[in-house]
Amino acid sequence: MIFLGQPREEKLARAHDAAWLERAGMLWLVAGCLVLGLFPVQVIEPIGQVTQMLVGHNLADTVRANGWFLLAPMSVERASYAPLVFLVVGAASFYLAIIIVRVLYRGRLRRAVPWDCGYPAGNARMQDTAEGFGQPIRRMFGPFFRMEIKLPSPFDEKPSYGVTIDDHFWHWIYLPIARLTEAVAKQVGRLQQGRIAVYLLYSFVTLIAMLVLVRL
Amino acid sequence: MHAYLIQSINLFAAVLLLLSFGMLSQRRILTLIHLFTLQGATLVAATAVVAYVTNQHHLYYSAALTLVTKVIVIPILLHRLIHRLNVKWDVETLINIPTTMLIGILLVVFAFNLALPIAQLSSSIVHSTLGIALACVLLSFLMMITRAKAVPQVIGFLSMENGLFFAATAATYGMPMVVEFGIAFDVLVGMFILGVFMFQIREQFDSLDIRHLETLKED
Amino acid sequence: MSWSGLFSQLLEILVALVLAPLVTGWVNQCRAWLQNKSAPSLLLQYRMLRKLFHKESVVAEHASQLFRTAPYIVFGCMTMASGIVPTLSTDLPLSPAADAIALVGLFAFARVFISLAAMDIGTAFGSLGARREMLIGFLAEPALLMVLFSASLITKSTSLTSIAETLAHREFVIYPSLAFAGVAFTLVSLAENARVPVDNPTTHLELTMIHEALILEYSGRHLALIEWAASLKLFAYSCIGLTLFFPWGMAEVGSPQQLILALPVLVLKLAIGGAILALIETASAKMRIFRVPEFLATAFMLAVIGMLVHFLLGA
């Protein structure tokens, strides 16, 4: 998996994007983000009822008091956020950039090969993958994971690279529990012979034991 | 003016803690000594201000004593020591530094929590800085634990003494003069002994790595 | 919203656009002096911008539209950021619209776009820069937020103008927690602005680049916009620092005539700040990339301790 960039395999060069209907599925998520980002006041009102039930306090009243476009949980002096103004000013500064370029700009646009730092043989296979992209962060949090990295040596005929990431807790907590359960289950499993006579014997023994207990 | 002076004591306390953290995260031994000197200087300033605000003359003496020992004599001795021992490379740590810092922050929370009830008993004007002093002591202790080489350990020990000194100033306006002189003398003598000790370690093992001492035990 | 407020808002953005390259030029000049080099002209940044705007843009063969839009977005974000941060006046109509948290979000937005643009070409350097930038970004952001929170604990507000107003007009008090926040902020802004201990803005060696690797493919007008945006970012960060730690000398609500005095004060403060930045950059050596998390973790810890100290000392 890679982010953007060029196709790494020949097959992928002929790959095409999914049909628009398929892509439209993602519009839901976009719409959700937009609604949350632009109309937080309206979203807070239904959520406010939940917090009212849980902690007995509702933000919706203070939020509503400031009007529909300004989000201020406590008061405007303490913290505030007006998404529409934010968007408009953001768009305005974006257009400012375009205007500045229009005024100052005197050149043309030319296409060329990307900078290769003196190594023209570079190809799409050499670009970063998601694996590489996450590498610094993975290395930073290395102690928190159980990582096994297989690095090829420079003399390998067929170099291969692989990382398996495991959770410490899986080995520290869950696997011992699983092993314990298995051991107990094995002991219990011994009871289960599969012969009907034995099962009947169990019932019989239980019955006798109960009767003895009652007698005592 | 008076209010500013008390605030400045709080500021000095914060700087002490800052320097403790700086020492905890520092890898270079030379910078470590500089930080230690700075910490001593801050301590002197804090003590002098406390002395001025509370009109306790004996605190001036103890400030002067700290100035002479911690800011002048000991740093010079340490500089000579690392020059003679020729140790200028990076300090090795047993635990990596972000983890150490993480533990450090937990220690600070713990110290602040611990000091709150004690500080309320004290009538001193700077009693709220007791938590910081305690945190400094614990952080220096942590530094001693996590360092593998002898020189940073000695610096950690000295910096722990700084924290103790500040704790005394914060809680009860300093210890009696005799005790303070005694401690200062102790620190100096200790310094010499540790210096001699370090030469011995190096002669024995060709390294200042104190993990080598583990091999000395009888099996 | 008053006319004077609108005026000071527009003036502030204009001043930021004009002054930002000057600040970068000043830092470069100080650096050259400190390193015993003959210093470049203070106006070099302006000349470079003009030169770049006059050159033709060379775009890589398979660059998409995203690659060409990103500089405009980054520039827009930085312009807006310098409009949110109070520099000359605290009478800003934009300040209720976006507080410090939104500002951090704005910086993050710009960072995402520049990283996407760098990965768009598909060369090794672009994605190398992108991943390093993301590494630094995700560590620097919480630290920056913590710094802003320690300041907002004192003033009970996350709006930068309220923070500046409260700190500037209250009776002068020494806040130990701000000392911690100040050190943490210095560390964060060094990392965020790609300055020396983390990244070298004048490097020519691709393997050590972070910010430069991101913009390796840009040229002409796009590069001009990005360079300008980088200057604006440095300007905005300096001004956040000034707002939090040295908020004196800004014009207030209802007295726009103070703007006349506020500008020289700002220039003076920036000049001192730039000289200090140059000093830090000269005195420190660039660190390995895997020391950077340590550096930023330190910043985060310091900011957290600042907050703890605030609770302990009540100041």
Side-chain angles (χ1 to χ4, degrees):
Chain A
M1 189 169 82
I2 51 174
F3 303 118
L4 299 167
Q6 305 308 316
R8 280 166 64 87
E9 291 165 28
E10 270 182 45
K11 253 193 293 180
L12 290 176
R14 293 195 304 276
H16 60 90
D17 211 344
W20 69 270
L21 260 175
E22 234 169 302
R23 275 180 284 166
M26 291 203 237
L27 280 180
W28 281 106
L29 304 171
V30 175
C33 289
L34 282 181
V35 168
L36 262 182
L38 289 180
F39 306 101
V41 177
Q42 286 72 12
V43 178
I44 277 181
E45 283 199 22
I47 297 176
Q49 291 170 356
V50 180
T51 55
Q52 179 80 47
M53 278 193 289
L54 286 175
V55 294
H57 186 75
N58 194 346
L59 272 181
D61 298 326
T62 42
V63 167
R64 205 184 301 122
N66 287 309
W68 63 271
F69 63 93
L70 184 69
L71 176 72
M74 257 79 88
S75 67
V76 183
E77 285 77 40
R78 295 196 64 164
S80 55
Y81 172 56
L84 278 182
V85 180
F86 200 68
L87 184 70
V88 168
V89 176
S93 30
F94 177 67
Y95 278 105
L96 176 74
I98 293 180
I99 291 168
I100 288 177
V101 169
R102 281 275 154 77
V103 171
L104 294 174
Y105 166 58
R106 301 272 186 283
R108 297 174 298 114
L109 194 86
R110 184 163 61 88
R111 294 275 177 175
V113 286
W115 169 240
D116 51 19
C117 189
Y119 183 67
N123 56 34
R125 285 279 297 162
M126 292 175 191
Q127 65 187 325
D128 242 6
T129 54
E131 170 75 24
F133 191 78
Q135 188 256 355
I137 292 173
R138 207 174 50 229
R139 177 165 166 178
M140 222 184 82
F141 290 103
F144 296 95
F145 295 105
R146 218 181 153 98
M147 228 182 327
E148 276 163 30
I149 302 178
K150 209 174 74 187
L151 279 177
S153 94
F155 306 107
D156 277 355
E157 290 290 316
K158 281 184 178 173
S160 73
Y161 167 82
V163 181
T164 43
I165 292 178
D166 237 342
D167 195 356
H168 274 310
F169 289 103
W170 182 252
H171 290 267
W172 288 344
I173 300 176
Y174 296 107
L175 280 187
I177 291 180
R179 252 176 292 190
L180 188 73
T181 325
E182 231 164 72
V184 172
K186 211 173 261 173
Q187 296 301 320
V188 174
R190 279 194 190 168
L191 295 174
Q192 207 173 16
Q193 296 280 336
R195 199 185 287 176
I196 294 197
V198 179
Y199 292 147
L200 286 174
L201 183 68
Y202 290 152
S203 311
F204 183 70
V205 170
T206 317
L207 189 67
I208 296 294
M210 294 305 278
L211 286 175
V212 169
L213 269 179
V214 170
R215 182 69 190 82
L216 287 173
Chain B
M1 191 62 201
H2 192 77
Y4 286 143
L5 283 175
I6 295 179
Q7 284 165 14
S8 71
I9 296 169
N10 283 345
L11 184 70
F12 284 135
V15 172
L16 273 182
L17 188 60
L18 199 68
L19 289 170
S20 282
F21 256 93
M23 286 161 88
L24 198 61
S25 65
Q26 189 50 248
R27 285 173 197 271
R28 303 223 165 148
I29 210 155
L30 214 62
T31 326
L32 205 59
I33 296 176
H34 291 322
L35 284 175
F36 171 73
T37 316
L38 261 178
Q39 201 186 31
T42 319
L43 185 63
V44 170
T47 320
V49 175
V50 172
Y52 179 77
V53 172
T54 59
N55 230 354
Q56 305 254 349
H57 285 288
H58 76 270
L59 275 181
Y60 282 123
Y61 299 125
S62 71
L65 199 63
T66 318
L67 183 72
V68 172
T69 53
K70 302 262 179 59
V71 188
I72 300 168
V73 177
I74 291 181
I76 291 176
L77 284 178
L78 282 172
H79 275 292
R80 274 195 184 173
L81 196 64
I82 60 163
H83 186 72
R84 293 268 303 276
L85 289 170
N86 204 10
V87 275
K88 280 186 191 132
W89 53 81
D90 281 9
V91 178
E92 276 178 49
T93 54
L94 295 178
I95 315 174
N96 71 353
I97 284 184
T99 320
T100 321
M101 304 280 282
L102 216 66
I103 301 170
I105 209 161
L106 289 179
L107 281 180
V108 171
V109 174
F110 173 70
F112 281 13
N113 231 326
L114 194 71
L116 264 183
I118 307 171
Q120 270 154 10
L121 292 177
S122 165
S123 57
S124 150
I125 47 160
V126 285
H127 57 84
S128 53
T129 52
L130 187 62
I132 291 184
L134 203 56
C136 284
V137 173
L138 293 179
L139 286 177
S140 313
F141 215 133
L142 182 66
M143 186 180 133
M144 282 179 75
I145 295 170
T146 53
R147 294 301 156 102
K149 290 273 158 68
V151 180
Q153 280 207 322
V154 171
I155 297 176
F157 169 72
L158 293 168
S159 136
M160 189 158 81
E161 212 274 328
N162 274 349
L164 275 177
F165 197 87
F166 188 66
T169 315
T172 59
Y173 298 138
M175 293 168 272
M177 216 52 228
V178 185
V179 180
E180 261 169 38
F181 267 113
I183 291 177
F185 195 64
D186 272 358
V187 167
L188 273 183
V189 170
M191 184 64 221
F192 276 114
I193 294 174
L194 286 170
V196 173
F197 196 55
M198 273 185 240
F199 279 106
Q200 291 295 332
I201 295 178
R202 201 185 53 159
E203 245 167 51
Q204 200 74 33
F205 302 108
D206 274 336
S207 149
L208 275 178
D209 199 326
I210 44 169
R211 277 173 291 191
H212 287 301
L213 293 182
E214 288 164 17
T215 55
L216 283 181
K217 68 176 179 200
E218 286 178 39
D219 287 317
Chain C
M1 184 165 50
S2 61
W3 287 113
S4 70
L6 197 65
F7 172 72
S8 54
Q9 180 73 74
L10 288 177
L11 182 75
E12 189 161 282
I13 293 178
L14 192 70
V15 164
L17 285 177
V18 174
L19 267 189
L22 193 68
V23 174
T24 313
W26 167 244
V27 175
N28 288 344
Q29 201 168 40
C30 286
R31 241 163 69 125
W33 281 334
L34 286 168
Q35 293 165 358
N36 275 337
K37 296 174 185 165
S38 56
S41 157
L42 207 54
L43 303 176
L44 187 70
Q45 289 290 319
Y46 297 106
R47 288 192 200 133
M48 194 194 68
L49 286 180
R50 203 188 62 185
K51 181 186 83 182
L52 287 175
F53 273 121
H54 282 74
K55 282 199 162 192
E56 71 174 353
S57 277
V58 184
V59 175
E61 272 157 358
H62 24 247
S64 70
Q65 197 58 40
L66 175 76
F67 180 78
R68 289 165 61 185
T69 326
Y72 296 92
I73 293 177
V74 172
F75 183 81
C77 281
M78 292 310 159
T79 314
M80 191 174 165
S82 52
I84 295 171
V85 182
T87 51
L88 294 173
S89 158
T90 54
D91 183 17
L92 298 178
L94 201 53
S95 85
D99 60 0
I101 301 167
L103 184 70
V104 177
L106 200 62
F107 285 132
F109 187 72
R111 180 170 21 244
V112 166
F113 265 92
I114 191 82
S115 302
L116 282 179
M119 286 192 286
D120 185 49
I121 309 290
T123 61
F125 295 124
S127 34
L128 173 137
R131 86 168 101 119
R132 289 181 177 173
E133 176 79 4
M134 280 300 163
L135 174 75
I136 289 175
F138 107 97
L139 290 164
E141 256 161 45
L144 180 61
L145 276 175
M146 277 294 159
V147 170
L148 292 168
F149 285 154
S150 354
S152 69
L153 269 178
I154 293 170
T155 55
K156 305 266 181 291
S157 167
T158 56
S159 150
L160 281 170
T161 50
S162 311
I163 292 176
E165 258 172 22
T166 326
L167 287 178
H169 296 126
R170 198 185 273 179
E171 190 195 353
F172 178 70
V173 182
I174 301 170
Y175 293 106
S177 56
L178 278 187
F180 283 96
V183 177
F185 180 78
T186 315
L187 300 185
V188 172
S189 45
L190 284 175
E192 283 264 18
N193 288 296
R195 310 307 299 194
V196 151
V198 178
D199 187 8
N200 189 352
T202 56
T203 185
H204 295 293
L205 186 65
E206 282 94 341
L207 289 178
T208 63
M209 287 176 174
I210 302 176
H211 183 253
E212 294 298 311
L214 281 175
I215 60 172
L216 208 55
E217 285 302 324
Y218 280 113
S219 58
R221 57 179 192 266
H222 299 131
L223 185 63
L225 277 179
I226 285 186
E227 289 287 342
W228 204 346
S231 299
L232 275 171
K233 190 174 183 186
L234 182 64
F235 183 84
Y237 262 89
S238 319
C239 288
I240 295 173
L242 295 177
T243 308
L244 296 183
F245 309 110
F246 307 97
W248 302 282
M250 272 190 243
E252 300 156 29
V253 181
S255 49
Q257 68 276 8
Q258 285 174 334
L259 280 174
I260 302 165
L261 195 65
L263 188 61
V265 171
L266 176 73
V267 171
L268 183 71
K269 286 197 280 191
L270 282 174
I272 297 171
I276 294 173
L277 174 64
L279 190 66
I280 295 175
E281 279 200 276
T282 310
S284 48
K286 183 178 173 325
M287 57 176 112
R288 280 166 46 205
I289 182 89
F290 282 109
R291 288 280 162 85
V292 173
E294 210 169 273
F295 181 78
L296 288 168
T298 313
F300 181 75
M301 300 288 165
L302 287 176
V304 171
I305 291 171
M307 289 171 84
L308 289 175
V309 166
H310 172 84
F311 288 122
L312 180 79
L313 299 175

